[in-house]
Amino acid sequence: MEIALFILIAAIVFIVNALKVVPQQNAWVVERLGRFHAALAPGLNIVVPFVDRVAYKHSLKEVPMDVPSQICITKDNTQLQVDGILYFQVTDPRLASYGSSDYVFAITQLAQTTLRSVIGKMELDKTFEERDDINRAVVNALDEAALSWGVKVLRYEIKDLTPPKEILHAMQAQITAEREKRAVIATSEGKQQEQINLANGARQAAIAKSEGEKQALINRAQGEAEAIRTVAEGNAQAIRRVAEAIEAPGGMNAVNLKVAEQYVEAFSGVAKEGNTLILPGNLADMGGMVAAAMSIVKAQK
């Protein structure tokens, strides 16, 4: 009975040690008698108890790792404190286990040395403007070296660039001066544009005024010409009607009567102004004068 119980317990222990359940996005490295045997995939796996053992466990997820802050020297001999974060992922569990004794430490150190080298080639102002170039340079250098460690470096991001306080004060003063310069330039350009706009406005107003005066003169001249033309046409029309009336039956008699009336009226108004009266020599022969006037009209006809 005791032997059977011992065998049962041994069987349970054997089965428990033989079955390995690997979580998703994980990889377990199994060594058989001290040598690499296999990398267990996620799910249920069977190993040989007491012969195989799980030597390393790796997560295949993307891992963010904070790179310790460090002091870098720029090309213009300025100290710059740099703080960054690195993202990497294990792609080969076997190389991650045997390629380096501590790939996390190796990546961290390589990131720091690469960062110092990249920043040492730049001036201080460029380091703030070319963060993307710095990040790409660090990633390229790390990714090439990390291939032998079974690790893929995905991204590197600079979190903070902190120059010394003296440099910060100088940069702030420079920024203030630059902003004041831009403000002065903007003000002067605004005044210049204002003067240009005023000059253009005055020019346009003068042109518009001269055009208006020109058009007014043209309109006035056209109006006067039209008035003269209308008067002339009216006089011509009147003359034509008078001629037509004279040509009509009895027209000549009417003309004779009208001439006689006007002749008499002319003599009646001779003495209206002044004290001198001028009379024709043959005033008694009024009928003869009328006849003479009528003869002139007939002659003109």
Side-chain angles (χ1 to χ4, degrees):
M1 186 63 181
E2 294 178 357
I3 296 176
L5 181 60
F6 176 78
I7 293 173
L8 178 60
I9 293 174
I12 293 174
V13 171
F14 184 86
I15 294 173
V16 169
N17 290 329
L19 300 178
K20 301 294 181 182
V21 179
V22 181
Q24 182 66 33
Q25 285 296 97
N26 282 265
W28 291 1
V29 175
V30 174
E31 291 181 351
R32 174 167 293 178
L33 300 177
R35 297 183 60 184
F36 172 78
H37 174 65
L40 302 182
L44 181 62
N45 295 270
I46 299 176
V47 298
V48 179
F50 310 110
V51 177
D52 297 339
R53 77 178 183 91
V54 177
Y56 300 97
K57 295 182 179 181
H58 300 287
S59 174
L60 303 181
K61 299 178 183 179
E62 183 176 343
V63 180
M65 181 179 63
D66 187 37
V67 178
S69 177
Q70 62 176 335
I71 300 296
C72 300
I73 305 299
T74 62
K75 186 178 180 180
D76 50 356
N77 296 324
T78 302
Q79 292 185 354
L80 189 65
Q81 186 173 357
V82 185
D83 188 13
I85 186 169
L86 183 69
Y87 298 85
F88 68 91
Q89 185 178 23
V90 175
T91 57
D92 190 333
R94 179 178 180 179
L95 291 178
S97 301
Y98 304 106
S100 173
S101 60
D102 189 347
Y103 63 85
V104 175
F105 179 76
I107 292 175
T108 303
Q109 295 300 311
L110 184 58
Q112 289 181 317
T113 56
T114 304
L115 185 62
R116 286 196 296 269
S117 176
V118 173
I119 290 181
K121 300 176 182 179
M122 297 182 179
E123 295 181 354
L124 179 62
D125 294 338
K126 292 294 184 180
T127 58
F128 296 99
E129 299 173 1
E130 300 179 2
R131 285 195 179 192
D132 293 338
D133 295 337
I134 296 174
N135 295 336
R136 282 193 294 269
V138 173
V139 169
N140 293 334
L142 290 176
D143 195 33
E144 182 179 356
L147 288 176
S148 60
W149 305 333
V151 177
K152 173 69 174 177
V153 177
L154 303 175
R155 294 187 305 280
Y156 178 81
E157 298 291 339
I158 295 177
K159 294 195 298 183
D160 194 15
L161 292 172
T162 307
K165 293 182 179 180
E166 296 79 7
I167 301 298
L168 284 176
H169 292 321
M171 293 174 63
Q172 186 64 37
Q174 181 181 3
I175 293 173
T176 303
E178 187 66 26
R179 289 178 178 174
E180 291 177 353
K181 175 183 175 183
R182 287 199 298 265
V184 171
I185 293 174
T187 302
S188 63
E189 289 179 350
K191 292 181 178 179
Q192 179 184 7
Q193 189 63 39
E194 179 184 4
Q195 296 298 324
I196 292 173
N197 293 338
L198 291 175
N200 289 335
R203 176 174 175 270
Q204 294 296 330
I207 293 174
K209 182 179 179 181
S210 63
E211 289 291 338
E213 293 176 352
K214 174 184 176 182
Q215 190 62 40
L217 292 175
I218 293 173
N219 294 339
R220 188 179 301 112
Q222 290 177 348
E224 292 176 354
E226 187 67 25
I228 294 172
R229 188 183 303 111
T230 303
V231 171
E233 290 178 353
N235 292 333
Q237 185 69 22
I239 293 172
R240 282 195 296 270
R241 290 184 179 180
V242 170
E244 291 175 355
I246 293 174
E247 294 292 336
M252 184 55 65
N253 295 330
V255 171
N256 294 336
L257 178 60
K258 186 66 175 178
V259 169
E261 289 178 354
Q262 291 180 350
Y263 193 82
V264 173
E265 288 178 358
F267 277 103
S268 65
V270 169
K272 285 185 178 180
E273 295 182 359
N275 297 322
T276 304
L277 179 61
I278 301 173
L279 295 176
N282 55 349
L283 181 61
D285 190 6
M286 183 64 67
M289 290 186 291
V290 172
M294 293 304 303
S295 65
I296 295 173
V297 171
K298 291 179 179 179
Q300 293 297 325
K301 180 180 177 183

